C-alpha cells in the first residue's frame, strides 16, 4: 500500500492537475503535461518575481519585465511538453530519483529546444527578408536571447523541473501500486 502522502498527491493531481486533458492517461503524454505545467508555473513565477523586483526598484518600467516571460510561454510550454514525452519514453525506471533527474535534464533541454524554435523563426525571417537581419545576426540574436533566458531563469526552472519530475513519478508509481 502506498504512503498516504502519495495517495493525497495522486488525488490532488487527478482533481486539479492536467489529468483531464486528452490522452493524459498514457504515462508518456501525462509526463508531457507535467513538464508543460512545470514550464507554465516556472514562467509565471519568474514573471511575478521579476515584476515585483522591478516595482520595488521604483523605476516604474515593469511592463518589459512582465512581457519577457509572457512572450516565452508559447515557446517553452510546447518544448517542455515534447521533452516530457521523450523523457518518459527514454527513462529506464519509474522512481522518484529518476523523476528528479529527468525533470532537471528536461528543464535544461527545454532551453536547447527553445533555441531551435527561436532560431528557426529568426532564420526564416532573415531568409525571407522579413526582419532586415542577416543569417549571422539572426543566429547571434537567437543564441543571445536563449543564453540570457538561461542566465536569468535557471535558478527557478531547474528546481521546478526536478520537483515536477519527482511529483509525476510519485503519482504514476502510486497509480501502478493502486491497481
Amino acid at each position: 500500500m502506498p504512503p498516504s502522502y502519495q495517495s493525497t498527491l495522486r488525488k490532488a493531481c487527478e482533481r486539479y492537475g492536467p489529468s483531464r486533458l486528452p490522452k493524459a492517461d498514457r504515462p508518456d503524454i501525462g509526463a508531457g503535461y507535467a513538464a508543460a505545467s512545470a514550464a507554465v508555473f516556472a514562467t509565471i513565477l519568474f514573471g511575478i518575481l521579476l515584476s515585483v523586483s522591478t516595482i520595488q526598484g521604483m523605476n516604474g518600467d515593469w511592463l518589459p519585465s512582465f512581457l519577457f516571460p509572457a512572450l516565452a510561454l508559447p515557446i517553452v510550454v510546447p518544448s517542455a511538453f515534447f521533452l516530457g514525452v521523450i523523457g518518459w519514453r527514454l527513462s529506464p525506471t519509474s522512481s522518484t530519483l529518476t523523476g528528479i533527474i529527468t525533470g532537471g535534464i528536461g528543464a535544461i533541454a527545454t532551453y536547447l529546444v527553445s533555441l531551435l524554435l527561436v532560431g528557426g523563426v529568426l532564420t526564416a525571417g532573415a531568409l525571407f527578408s522579413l526582419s532586415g537581419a542577416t543569417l549571422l545576426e539572426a543566429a547571434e540574436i537567437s543564441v543571445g536571447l536563449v543564453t540570457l533566458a538561461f542566465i536569468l531563469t535557471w535558478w527557478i526552472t531547474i528546481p521546478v523541473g526536478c520537483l515536477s519530475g519527482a511529483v509525476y513519478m510519485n503519482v504514476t508509481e502510486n497509480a501502478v501500486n493502486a491497481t
Side-chain angles (χ1 to χ4, degrees):
M1 184 161 148
S4 63
Y5 78 89
Q6 283 184 335
S7 298
T8 304
L9 186 61
R10 181 172 178 241
K11 288 176 187 172
C13 287
E14 286 176 352
R15 178 171 287 165
Y16 304 111
S19 64
R20 296 177 307 272
L21 294 172
K23 298 186 181 179
D25 55 336
R26 290 181 37 195
D28 56 344
I29 301 299
Y33 287 139
S37 298
V40 169
F41 176 76
T43 305
I44 290 172
L45 182 59
F46 176 75
I48 290 169
L49 293 173
L50 186 61
S51 296
V52 167
S53 68
T54 303
I55 291 169
Q56 292 292 334
M58 298 299 177
N59 66 4
D61 201 12
W62 64 272
L63 187 61
S65 61
F66 174 76
L67 287 177
F68 181 69
L71 293 174
L73 275 173
I75 297 165
V76 299
V77 172
S79 299
F81 178 83
F82 171 75
L83 289 165
V85 171
I86 298 300
W88 179 269
R89 290 178 182 175
L90 295 178
S91 63
T93 60
S94 297
S95 69
T96 301
L97 181 60
T98 302
I100 291 170
I101 293 169
T102 306
I105 291 171
I108 294 168
T110 299
Y111 291 102
L112 299 174
V113 172
S114 297
L115 174 62
L116 294 175
L117 293 174
V118 169
V121 169
L122 293 179
T123 301
L127 278 174
F128 297 115
S129 300
L130 300 174
S131 65
T134 66
L135 288 175
L136 182 59
E137 290 169 339
E140 289 174 348
I141 292 169
S142 301
V143 169
L145 186 63
V146 174
T147 301
L148 178 65
F150 180 77
I151 290 169
L152 291 175
T153 64
W154 70 267
W155 58 273
I156 196 164
T157 57
I158 295 172
V160 167
C162 291
L163 180 63
S164 175
V167 167
Y168 187 71
M169 287 297 186
N170 274 315
V171 168
T172 56
E173 188 176 293
N174 185 22
V176 169
N177 291 338
T179 56

